[in-house]
Amino acid sequence: MSERLQPGDVAPAFTLQDADGNEVSLADHKGRKVIVYFYPAALTPGCTKQACDFTDNLDLLAGAGYDVLGISPDQPEKLAKFRDTESLKVTLLADPDKSVLEAYGAFGEKKNYGKTYMGVIRSTIVVDAEGKVERALYNVRATGHVAKIIKDLGI
C-alpha cells in the first residue's frame, strides 16, 4: 500500500495521456494551483457525478487560479467516451499502470461488503503553485465533495 501524502510534501511529478492521447504533465501547470482528483472508473454513477460537479464549477475554480485534473486507471479511449458522453470539461488523464495513483497514495486496500481488495481510493490532492501538497483528502465521497472543496478553499 502506498504512502498517503501530507500537506507540505512535494507533489510527485507525472506525465500521463489525456483522453485524446496527448501528454499532460503536472509541470505544465507550474505557477498555478492544481486540484488532482483520483476516481475508480469512467462511466460509473459516482465518478460521473463527481466529474460533472467539477465541470459545473470549473469556471469558478479557474477564476480562483485552480486547474483540475482527473486521474483514473482507464485507457484514453474510455476517457474520451466519458468526456463526450457527459460533456465534461475537466482534463481526464489515463493511469492504466496505476503508477501515479500509487505515488499519490490513491491506490490500496479497500473494503466493500466485507471483502478486502486492492483498488482506487477516491482522493483529492490540492497542489499549490510551488508544486507542494496543500491538502490531501482520502476516501472522499463522490456526492457533495466539490462543494466542500470550494468551501474549504474559501472560493
Side-chain angles (χ1 to χ4, degrees), residues 54-154:
F54 271 118
T55 293
D56 293 345
N57 289 286
L58 206 54
D59 290 343
L60 178 70
L61 290 165
Y66 289 90
D67 295 336
V68 179
L69 302 174
I71 299 177
S72 75
D74 297 304
Q75 293 292 338
E77 302 77 29
K78 187 170 180 190
L79 297 179
K81 184 175 182 199
F82 186 33
R83 178 195 61 203
D84 298 344
T85 302
E86 301 297 337
S87 303
L88 301 174
K89 304 252 183 306
V90 292
T91 301
L92 301 174
L93 302 176
D95 185 21
D97 69 1
K98 303 175 188 70
S99 59
V100 177
L101 284 154
E102 289 184 4
Y104 277 77
F107 188 82
E109 199 172 271
K110 295 174 68 166
K111 287 185 170 61
N112 198 10
Y113 301 114
K115 287 190 172 42
T116 301
Y117 61 97
M118 297 299 283
V120 176
I121 298 163
R122 191 181 302 276
S123 311
T124 301
I125 310 299
V126 180
V127 180
D128 69 17
E130 306 300 310
K132 288 198 166 44
V133 174
E134 186 179 312
R135 291 167 193 263
L137 310 164
Y138 293 96
N139 293 311
V140 300
R141 302 191 76 75
T143 305
H145 178 60
V146 176
K148 183 178 180 339
I149 290 174
I150 290 168
K151 182 173 177 273
D152 289 353
L153 293 175

Side-chain angles (χ1 to χ4, degrees), residues 7-25:
D9 289 351
V10 173
F14 62 80
T15 301
L16 295 171
Q17 285 190 334
D18 69 9
D20 298 316
N22 301 311
E23 288 194 342
V24 175
S25 298

